[in-house]
Amino acid sequence: MRAEDLEAFAEITATSYHEVDTRTHQRAWPDPVRRPAARNGHWIRRTGQALVTDPGGCWVAEVDGEVVGGAVSRVRELMWILASFAVRPEHQGRGIGTELMAAAMHHGRGCLRGMFAASADPGAVRRYRLAGFDLHPQMMLTGVVDRSAIPVVDRVREGTAGDVDLMDSVDRRTRGAAHLGDHELLLAQFRLVVTDHSTGSGYAYVDVDGSPVLVAATNRRTASGLVWEALASSSPGAQVAVHHITAANAWALDVGLAARMAIYTNGYLCLRGMKPPAPYLHHGSLL
């Protein structure tokens, strides 16, 4: 992959992901939304950074000189992470995805662990299992938060770049590898809240609508408090969501049920050489 491929691959991922979301959509879910322009800018910046830190993990496929698919992967300490993987729908079923996956996985050949999020697309899930990954079903919470249920959360403060060492420490304890420079990308896009106390440490990145997009903590009580802090920042009556909940993180379901949110299944967490991280809710691409 080269820098000049970024916009083309961004369009492919936006189109492909929306097509999968529409095809696997359940009627009770909120309607699928194609990645908006503002998010596309964040995607391009995030993937452009991967070209700098992990050039060997970033690949595109071309047909007649046109980019038709790609894969972006990162190595963080001893963990390989697949951040983006997509092939244009009309070019699927021709072996392009298999070649892209093989190239991306070669980047992580020295890693002990692997981790990425996947949709419920049957063809893609089959490829991941054949590549040796365990498939852990994910759930999501969505709905309007019952504000009368929000508890008082103590010892949570606004986070800054000065908390990266703390967060990397929590990352290593929960998922087995630090985010390192990826925190710079997350800090540029999301609000950060942090807790660091003798009873537990952790952090959460929170979207503008109050949805937590990454949560890591040293125990479930601390993780629950961070999710409550995120939900409390939502506007009254607004729809919020908590994604990427595995069975190992049932504590998050308890928070959502207390907040009167609904539970749905939604895709898989694909892992190799590790158990599902906990207490941990991963980011969709930076994991």
Side-chain angles (χ1 to χ4, degrees):
M1 185 180 291
R2 300 184 293 262
E4 54 265 36
D5 298 321
L6 287 173
E7 289 195 12
F9 188 44
E11 182 67 19
I12 288 169
T13 59
T15 299
S16 297
Y17 297 166
H18 184 252
E19 187 273 335
V20 170
D21 288 344
T22 300
R23 180 159 38 86
T24 60
H25 179 258
Q26 297 182 25
R27 284 186 296 176
W29 291 2
D31 290 338
V33 177
R34 195 176 189 276
R35 184 196 299 146
R39 296 278 183 179
N40 223 34
H42 287 300
W43 188 96
I44 290 174
R45 283 191 292 275
R46 191 164 61 238
T47 306
Q49 185 63 23
L51 285 177
V52 175
T53 61
D54 296 82
C58 304
W59 296 85
V60 293
E62 292 183 345
V63 173
D64 297 328
E66 181 183 8
V67 175
V68 299
V72 176
S73 65
R74 297 175 170 86
V75 170
R76 294 295 177 264
E77 300 182 330
L78 292 177
M79 179 178 287
W80 175 81
I81 294 165
L82 183 65
S84 296
F85 176 63
V87 177
R88 283 172 54 175
E90 63 268 28
H91 288 277
Q92 293 174 7
R94 304 180 184 180
I96 293 173
T98 299
E99 294 294 322
L100 286 168
M101 177 64 93
M105 288 181 65
H106 185 71
H107 181 55
R109 60 196 179 278
C111 293
L112 300 178
R113 294 174 290 277
M115 179 179 180
F116 61 93
S119 70
D121 179 68
V125 171
R126 179 178 185 275
R127 181 180 296 114
Y128 303 148
R129 180 58 188 163
L130 289 173
F133 287 86
D134 295 326
L135 306 175
H136 297 272
Q138 296 181 139
M139 294 163 278
M140 71 172 182
L141 297 161
T142 185
V144 176
V145 175
D146 179 357
R147 307 197 71 80
S148 68
I150 299 175
V152 175
V153 179
D154 295 324
R155 305 187 181 97
V156 176
R157 59 173 173 80
E158 297 297 315
T160 68
D163 293 304
V164 167
D165 286 345
L166 167 66
M167 294 190 290
D168 280 344
S169 176
V170 175
D171 289 338
R172 292 186 183 105
R173 178 167 173 172
T174 52
R175 74 169 195 167
H179 278 89
L180 304 175
D182 295 339
H183 281 298
E184 181 179 345
L185 297 167
L186 292 162
L187 281 163
Q189 185 176 357
F190 303 111
R191 174 194 177 207
L192 171 66
V193 292
V194 172
T195 183
D196 184 18
H197 191 263
S198 59
T199 58
S201 300
Y203 69 93
Y205 285 103
V206 185
D207 212 341
V208 291
D209 64 354
S211 299
V213 295
L214 173 58
V215 181
T218 55
N219 59 61
R220 288 174 292 180
R221 181 176 180 179
T222 300
S224 297
L226 289 164
V227 172
W228 275 120
E229 175 67 22
L231 297 179
S233 67
S234 65
S235 300
Q239 287 275 342
V240 297
V242 184
H243 291 276
H244 307 143
I245 305 170
T246 61
N249 289 285
W251 57 268
L253 299 178
D254 295 335
V255 172
L257 290 176
R260 303 288 184 177
M261 301 171 73
I263 302 173
Y264 300 98
T265 57
N266 188 23
Y268 299 87
L269 176 61
C270 303
L271 301 175
R272 188 170 64 180
M274 60 185 293
K275 296 178 180 180
Y280 194 85
L281 305 180
H282 64 266
H283 181 268
S285 62
L286 295 176
L287 278 297

